[in-house]
Every structure is written in structure tokens, then in C-alpha cells.
Amino acid sequence: TRRSSDLSAASTPEPRTGHNIHNVEILSQQGEQLEVRFNWHTLSYRYHTTDSYFGTSHYTIDLTSGQPLIKRKVVVLKNDYIRHVVDVYHI
């Protein structure tokens, strides 16, 4: 028999997350293209536990279409230790 534990990343309930972005800097602008850097902090709550993730992101944003478009994204996770697999929603 197969037994489920509800600890799978695919099981419910989904984690509740809060994303905080701060220290947003425009590093450069060439025409309609921006280089942006910012710090972020994410709190994620699931199974009576709150996990904290933090880091820095670097984006290249293209403004030519009138709608901002992320052309390049680099995420640097700065946690020294992570208890489990990090989901894309955590960063």
C-alpha cells in the first residue's frame, strides 16, 4: 500500500508567503533598457513553521513595448542553510 504524508511539496495546504522588496536601485539606463538591483526578503509559513529567505536580484528590464519586460533575471539566495527544497515562489 502507498501512504501519503502530507509533507510533500505538492500536497496541501499551500505555503503562505510574504515577499518584501527593498533598496531598489537603477544601476544604469541605455535607451529603453534598465539594469536594476534590489534586495528581497521572503517569509513562508507551512506546517506551523515560518521559514525566512533573503537575497539580492539583478534584472534587465526592456521598456520598448510600453510594458516593462524582464529580459534577464539573476537571483542570489544568501541563506547559509536551507532545511528543504526551495520553491520558485520563495524567491
Side-chain angles (χ1 to χ4, degrees), residues 10-60:
S11 66
T12 54
E14 293 293 320
R16 289 176 276 177
T17 58
H19 304 275
N20 301 288
I21 295 174
H22 45 92
N23 297 88
V24 178
E25 297 179 84
I26 297 174
L27 301 176
S28 68
Q29 180 174 6
Q30 294 183 344
E32 296 291 311
Q33 188 163 295
L34 299 174
E35 297 293 330
V36 179
R37 174 179 60 200
F38 59 88
N39 296 314
W40 54 269
H41 179 224
T42 300
L43 296 172
S44 177
Y45 178 81
R46 190 175 188 191
Y47 304 124
H48 308 288
T49 303
T50 301
D51 292 315
S52 175
Y53 306 96
F54 67 99
T56 301
S57 291
H58 299 263
Y59 282 26
T60 300

